[in-house]
Amino acid sequence: MFAAKKKPAKPATPTEMKAVAIDEFGGLEVLKSRVLPVPQPSHEEVLVRVAAAGINPVDWKTRSGAGMAERIKALPFVLGWDIAGTVEQQGRRVTMFEPGDRVMGMVNFPAAGGGYAEFVVAPDTHLVKVPDSLSLRDAAAVPLAALTAWQALFDTARIGAGDRVLIHAAAGGVGHFAVQLAKQKGAYVIGTASARNHEFARSLGCDEVYSYGGDEPWTRIDDVKTVIDTVGGETRAQSLKVLARGGLLVTLQTGDSKAGLNSPTRVKQILVKPNQHQLEQIAAMLCDGSLRVQAMAVNGLRNVTEAHSLSESRHVRGKIVVTVP
Ligand SMILES: NC(=O)c1ccc[n+]([C@@H]2O[C@H](COP(=O)([O-])OP(=O)(O)OC[C@H]3O[C@@H](n4cnc5c(N)ncnc54)[C@H](OP(=O)(O)O)[C@@H]3O)[C@@H](O)[C@H]2O)c1
């Protein structure tokens, strides 16, 4: 008779964790390493052990007092909406996940995210399982940017096969997903990017790519059914001139110039929302290879300032993630 082999006991969840918090809005210097209590999940929430946190422009905009700052109820708080990691504990009413599951999500958006930490608590509806073929590092780069691209193209613009779609910043976080999703739908995709990213943009599916900053796009592009405006200002104003009759410009810029915002039939401004069903479809596409993510990693929460600084340069190809801790 052999005694049944005992499963190794799961190490107890610590009571404290490393995190990067901000006590006041401002420059890179306000990102401070802290030791904080590990948050407790409510009945509908999941405690995730974070492996990587994705960086988005909204992170540094909020850090500086713009972005979602007005929605943050209290300082200090922990930034970070995009995360991937493993389930540590789940609330009593959570049935979709169990400890050890690999998950990703855009968590708690637009309230304080909490992702720049070793642990984060999130509603179960903000999370999905990560396909085995995807690393947690790459998974952390997906949720906010891919959901934004999905919601802009499919929910708002309702693009279809053959539509001419102009995607600004085609090599960026949102853009690199938007190009692939639009192409999958059968659209004719026109992108803008700097010269060093033209080849990358074509590899994602752009049929035409133009450098921005000069007159070229505006003399060559016309009759566009949908514009995904990731830039705002002058780019939005010029884009309105190449929009076809009945076309729609979807802008992601919520805080800049008001160009075109008084024409609600031609311009719609959106703010991304968590959506589990859409994120599951995105995960399935990443699993079957019909969607890919381009991500570079900055190692360690202590280097989150470097990640913010890179993102603020506005020339990242794809996404940046920070590995945790
Ligand atoms: N409303 C929402 O829900 C929502 C959601 C997500 C993002 N956003 C906003 O949308 C914007 C884009 O987000 P993201 O994550 O894609 O940013 P990102 O990854 O930081 O964008 C970087 C890319 O922007 C390109 N770029 C910079 N200036 C440009 C210009 N004038 N014209 C065309 N491309 C330009 C760069 O291209 P090169 O390197 O080739 O020069 C780079 O590839 C941000 O302002 C973000 O806050 C809003």
Side-chain angles (χ1 to χ4, degrees):
M1 281 266 290
F2 295 102
K5 213 172 177 179
K6 271 197 184 156
K7 261 191 172 176
K10 183 175 145 321
T13 306
T15 54
E16 292 186 329
M17 63 176 189
K18 290 186 193 132
V20 173
I22 71 171
D23 303 328
E24 57 180 329
F25 298 113
L28 292 171
E29 70 287 351
V30 303
L31 293 162
K32 302 273 194 231
S33 292
R34 294 271 186 264
V35 173
L36 298 176
V38 170
Q40 296 295 308
S42 70
H43 295 334
E44 292 82 15
E45 286 180 329
V46 176
L47 177 68
V48 180
R49 186 183 283 265
V50 180
I55 306 293
N56 291 286
V58 69
D59 295 20
W60 49 263
K61 290 180 186 177
T62 303
R63 185 207 72 219
S64 71
M68 298 299 121
E70 279 184 0
R71 301 178 191 238
I72 305 294
K73 300 273 185 278
L75 291 161
F77 76 100
V78 175
L79 269 169
W81 286 284
D82 271 344
I83 59 101
T86 48
V87 171
E88 180 75 10
Q89 290 171 17
Q90 79 277 43
R92 198 147 47 82
R93 297 205 198 100
V94 174
T95 53
M96 282 187 71
F97 304 105
E98 55 183 48
D101 284 348
R102 300 163 79 245
V103 290
M104 65 177 174
M106 178 181 81
V107 298
N108 306 314
F109 189 83
Y116 296 177
E118 289 179 286
F119 294 92
V120 68
V121 144
D124 58 348
T125 51
H126 289 186
L127 298 167
V128 301
K129 288 187 185 159
V130 174
D132 290 344
S133 55
L134 190 66
S135 69
L136 291 176
R137 184 200 94 138
D138 284 356
V142 173
L144 190 148
L147 282 171
T148 304
W150 186 287
Q151 290 168 18
L153 291 166
F154 302 151
D155 296 353
T156 309
R158 300 188 181 279
I159 66 159
D163 286 359
R164 286 168 65 78
V165 177
L166 170 59
I167 297 172
H168 288 298
V174 174
H176 90 295
F177 288 123
V179 169
Q180 296 176 78
L181 291 173
K183 198 66 195 167
Q184 289 266 332
K185 205 67 172 180
Y188 184 86
V189 183
I190 305 161
T192 59
S194 55
R196 72 179 182 95
N197 278 324
H198 283 202
E199 205 41 55
F200 174 61
R202 285 187 196 283
S203 77
L204 297 166
C206 279
D207 297 288
E208 295 174 28
V209 192
Y210 296 99
S211 295
Y212 57 85
D215 286 340
E216 200 198 8
W218 316 119
T219 54
R220 305 280 295 275
I221 304 170
D222 66 356
D223 209 26
V224 170
K225 179 86 187 297
T226 298
V227 178
I228 304 300
D229 168 32
T230 49
V231 180
E234 184 59 18
T235 301
R236 187 191 306 144
Q238 291 284 2
S239 299
L240 286 168
K241 298 182 188 162
V242 302
L243 202 57
R245 215 183 150 87
L248 182 71
L249 180 148
V250 184
T251 185
L252 308 181
Q253 291 296 344
T254 44
D256 75 332
S257 93
K258 300 284 175 249
L261 298 183
N262 56 358
S263 335
T265 52
R266 277 165 62 80
V267 178
K268 285 198 164 46
Q269 200 174 33
I270 65 163
L271 182 65
V272 63
K273 295 182 179 59
N275 186 311
Q276 192 177 45
H277 181 56
Q278 290 172 355
L279 196 52
E280 275 168 351
Q281 292 175 77
I282 288 163
M285 291 175 77
L286 289 159
C287 184
D288 71 20
S290 54
L291 188 67
R292 67 181 158 110
V293 50
Q294 169 80 28
M296 63 163 283
V298 166
N299 289 325
L301 269 181
R302 67 192 175 286
N303 293 318
V304 79
T305 50
E306 181 191 337
H308 270 227
S309 170
L310 277 170
S311 178
E312 284 187 72
S313 78
R314 306 306 310 269
H315 292 292
V316 171
R317 180 180 290 178
K319 299 276 315 173
I320 305 175
V321 302
V322 174
T323 57
V324 178

